[in-house]
Amino acid sequence: MQDGNAQAVSAGEKTTASREKGLNRVLEILEFLHVTQRAIGIGELAKGVNAPRSTTYTLVRSLVDAGLLEMEGDGNRVYFGKKLYLYGMDYVRGNDLLRRGRQEVDHLSRETGETSELCMLQSGRYTIVHSSPGTRPFRISSATGLQIPLPWTASGRLLLAGLDRAAVEGMVSDGDLVLPDGRKLRLDDFIADIAKARVTGYCVTSGLVDAYTKCLAVPVFSAPGKVEATMCLVVPIDTSDERTAGLIGLLRERAARLSIAG
Amino acid sequence: MQDGNAQAVSAGEKTTASREKGLNRVLEILEFLHVTQRAIGIGELAKGVNAPRSTTYTLVRSLVDAGLLEMEGDGNRVYFGKKLYLYGMDYVRGNDLLRRGRQEVDHLSRETGETSELCMLQSGRYTIVHSSPGTRPFRISSATGLQIPLPWTASGRLLLAGLDRAAVEGMVSDGDLVLPDGRKLRLDDFIADIAKARVTGYCVTSGLVDAYTKCLAVPVFSAPGKVEATMCLVVPIDTSDERTAGLIGLLRERAARLSIAG
DNA sequence: TACACGCGTCTCTTGTAAGAGACAATCTCT
DNA sequence: AGAGATTGTCTCTTACAAGAGACGCGTGTA
């Protein structure tokens, strides 16, 4: 905990300074590459995941041999490999919701000109699973796979619908309640928002992650009451109420289409 | 080597009956799910990869926690998870060739009505990285990610261009030379095909994997002389020479576009 | 009711993989 | 050219994960 590099991958980590399981190291490596978003040298990688160099070399070799990672051109940088792409496509194929959700999102952003996103819970965190940029000159782009604290987002409020207070507390750390601009959300307010979003069937947040945008989100159900994902539009904060209402209507209609199958 | 237990997952396996490294088990699990192409129970999975049940449970739990796998609806089946999808998308993003190749292939199949594919070497095996089905009533669809012996395909001949005899021998097992219909290819013929494909800049095979199709393939270069991928069209075997020639021209033109960047 | 089977969890042992560290070979700055 | 950093490989030790197997539970079926 004291040594810079707090890894804090997801939930309560042990931070055992001692021997670490190879598989866990691998998971950290993958996650590190995911946040880095570019090929990286093995030495640097070892530092990044806080692992011994020798171990890192061994693991990376295994992963490269397996095709999960690939050596970059010059030969001493690694990044994700074809195998991961293939497995990812398998996931898409086996997942109706994602497959159709992607199409819907792409369509939606073309139709409205606004940035459109499909979001899901990913091991307890809010994740942008697919996003399609709008046509505005200044678009707000958030990288796919980005993980954002649930309370920062409209989608977060919808995704937690149906969970009781304890469950929500379990998923939201204290730091999550601090917005990018430093304001601190009260947990009770957040929980009230969730309840409200649940009954209204949509959620709008203004100027939460940044001061210039509004986020409109609607739930996608995999079963009655079970929110599997959300679709959302990111629009300028000064979007008129009429247009906002119209967009929400559109979103709800599209989300309803997705909600049929599990 | 004396102790029975032949697992023989894919290529030359060690068949160490003794303790297996967790990471390797995981790699086998992923590969098994990839070939199975559907969610599978943990017990069955353990059998499938020939691993002890207790170990399998532990590993699967780690993978589910990490989001690489997900429990299927009823709760005792697993399949690929969102994380793998995200990593896969990272790969696509970091890989110009794949990103543009996919577009080109989709476009090509819409334009010609034929099944079109992007193929690459994947740890020494021929792999269909992306495919777009044609519009024919009886389409020949091969699953993405399918791995096929190199000598069975036109693309295989192009992908090996530039390798010397020893390298080719290393990548092609004896069984690979046996075609689906039982005919056995001579290694020398195969190597001659490779040399020929290299100079002509394309390759056509007729009735190799099955009796009804012809495969037209052209190379995509990542550097002068270095074949990084191939694009190919799968057409009925009775396609006229004129049309075949036309399609090859089209393929070459499109492949040339892809070949610019690394 | 009894039996066989598959599932999920737990305990304990021991074979082995994670890790520390030494090494030579490149680079990259003065 | 010399000092310092980085890279890839190798060896050896021991902490610990892989695995065997027992257990309890739910289910099917004879």
Side-chain angles (χ1 to χ4, degrees):
Chain A
M1 54 230 0
Q2 65 285 35
D3 47 324
N5 196 322
Q7 46 202 57
V9 176
S10 59
E13 289 304 310
K14 307 294 193 58
T15 325
T16 46
S18 70
R19 265 214 206 165
E20 188 52 286
K21 192 157 39 169
L23 176 53
N24 288 339
R25 294 252 118 111
V26 165
L27 296 175
E28 281 171 38
I29 287 173
L30 295 176
E31 200 54 27
F32 187 79
L33 288 175
H34 176 60
V35 305
T36 312
Q37 287 281 315
R38 56 178 188 80
I40 197 171
I42 301 183
E44 200 181 342
L45 182 59
K47 241 177 253 152
V49 300
N50 215 7
R53 248 161 35 85
S54 52
T55 305
T56 309
Y57 271 95
T58 314
L59 294 176
V60 166
R61 182 172 309 158
S62 285
L63 293 173
V64 169
D65 287 348
L68 296 209
L69 300 185
E70 277 173 24
M71 306 299 301
E72 205 74 350
D74 57 341
N76 66 325
R77 295 174 165 275
V78 284
Y79 197 52
F80 292 120
K82 269 183 273 300
K83 262 291 162 51
L84 283 173
Y85 159 71
L86 295 175
Y87 294 160
M89 295 317 281
D90 288 341
Y91 175 72
V92 175
R93 199 174 308 122
N95 194 312
D96 262 14
L97 178 62
L98 177 55
R99 189 169 62 243
R100 295 185 301 144
R102 285 175 58 117
Q103 284 175 12
E104 209 62 83
V105 161
D106 288 343
H107 192 229
L108 208 52
S109 76
R110 234 177 296 123
E111 199 171 358
T112 64
E114 309 286 359
T115 298
S116 172
E117 295 171 351
L118 182 71
C119 310
M120 292 179 165
L121 275 185
Q122 161 62 26
S123 54
R125 314 263 303 163
Y126 166 90
T127 308
I128 300 173
V129 165
H130 183 63
S131 96
S132 186
T135 53
R136 295 188 176 278
F138 297 105
R139 67 177 64 139
I140 311 94
S141 63
S142 349
T144 302
L146 203 64
Q147 300 215 338
I148 299 177
L150 286 158
W152 295 15
T153 68
S155 295
R157 286 157 174 74
L158 291 164
L159 287 167
L160 298 186
L163 298 187
D164 60 8
R165 191 193 172 87
V168 173
E169 283 180 18
M171 294 186 114
V172 176
S173 80
D174 212 49
D176 288 351
L177 290 166
V178 180
L179 297 175
D181 61 5
R183 281 181 295 162
K184 167 116 189 216
L185 226 59
R186 288 187 52 240
L187 181 62
D188 289 328
D189 291 345
F190 180 54
I191 290 178
D193 279 358
I194 294 172
K196 185 172 157 219
R198 188 183 185 184
V199 296
T200 56
Y202 68 88
C203 182
V204 177
T205 57
S206 287
L208 218 53
V209 281
D210 66 70
Y212 319 104
T213 57
K214 208 193 277 203
C215 186
L216 328 177
V218 299
V220 176
F221 296 97
S222 62
K226 176 148 178 31
V227 180
E228 183 73 21
T230 64
M231 280 208 307
C232 69
L233 287 170
V234 181
V235 303
I237 200 164
D238 55 6
T239 302
S240 73
D241 288 353
E242 289 73 32
R243 179 161 164 78
T244 300
L247 290 174
I248 289 176
L250 190 60
L251 270 175
R252 299 187 72 159
E253 177 193 314
R254 299 309 164 79
R257 276 203 234 163
L258 288 178
S259 292
I260 311 166
Chain B
M1 60 243 337
Q2 66 284 33
D3 43 325
N5 190 324
Q7 50 200 54
V9 177
S10 58
E13 291 303 309
K14 307 294 193 57
T15 325
T16 46
S18 71
R19 266 214 208 164
E20 188 51 288
K21 193 159 36 169
L23 177 52
N24 288 340
R25 293 253 118 110
V26 166
L27 296 176
E28 280 171 39
I29 287 174
L30 295 177
E31 201 54 27
F32 186 78
L33 288 174
H34 177 59
V35 304
T36 312
Q37 287 280 315
R38 56 177 188 80
I40 196 170
I42 301 183
E44 199 180 343
L45 182 59
K47 239 177 256 151
V49 301
N50 213 7
R53 248 159 37 85
S54 52
T55 305
T56 309
Y57 271 95
T58 314
L59 294 177
V60 166
R61 182 172 308 156
S62 284
L63 293 173
V64 169
D65 287 347
L68 296 210
L69 300 186
E70 277 173 23
M71 306 300 300
E72 206 75 350
D74 57 339
N76 67 325
R77 295 173 166 276
V78 285
Y79 197 52
F80 293 120
K82 269 184 271 303
K83 262 292 163 50
L84 283 173
Y85 159 72
L86 295 175
Y87 294 160
M89 295 317 281
D90 288 342
Y91 175 72
V92 175
R93 199 174 307 121
N95 195 312
D96 262 13
L97 178 62
L98 177 55
R99 189 169 61 243
R100 295 185 301 143
R102 284 175 58 117
Q103 285 175 12
E104 209 63 82
V105 161
D106 288 343
H107 192 231
L108 209 51
S109 75
R110 234 177 298 126
E111 199 171 359
T112 65
E114 310 286 359
T115 297
S116 172
E117 295 171 349
L118 182 71
C119 310
M120 292 180 167
L121 275 184
Q122 161 61 27
S123 53
R125 314 262 305 165
Y126 166 92
T127 307
I128 301 173
V129 165
H130 184 63
S131 96
S132 187
T135 53
R136 294 188 177 279
F138 298 104
R139 65 178 64 142
I140 310 94
S141 63
S142 351
T144 302
L146 203 65
Q147 300 214 338
I148 299 175
L150 287 158
W152 295 14
T153 67
S155 294
R157 285 155 174 76
L158 291 163
L159 288 166
L160 298 185
L163 298 187
D164 59 9
R165 190 194 171 87
V168 173
E169 283 180 19
M171 295 185 114
V172 176
S173 80
D174 212 48
D176 288 351
L177 290 167
V178 179
L179 297 176
D181 62 5
R183 281 181 295 160
K184 168 118 190 218
L185 226 58
R186 289 188 52 240
L187 181 63
D188 287 330
D189 291 344
F190 180 55
I191 290 178
D193 279 359
I194 294 172
K196 185 171 157 220
R198 187 182 185 184
V199 298
T200 56
Y202 67 89
C203 182
V204 176
T205 57
S206 287
L208 218 52
V209 280
D210 66 71
Y212 319 104
T213 58
K214 210 194 276 203
C215 186
L216 328 177
V218 299
V220 176
F221 296 97
S222 62
K226 177 151 178 27
V227 180
E228 185 71 21
T230 65
M231 282 208 307
C232 70
L233 287 171
V234 181
V235 302
I237 200 165
D238 55 6
T239 303
S240 72
D241 288 354
E242 290 73 32
R243 179 160 163 79
T244 301
L247 290 174
I248 290 175
L250 190 59
L251 270 174
R252 300 187 72 159
E253 179 193 313
R254 299 308 164 80
R257 278 203 233 163
L258 289 177
S259 293
I260 311 166

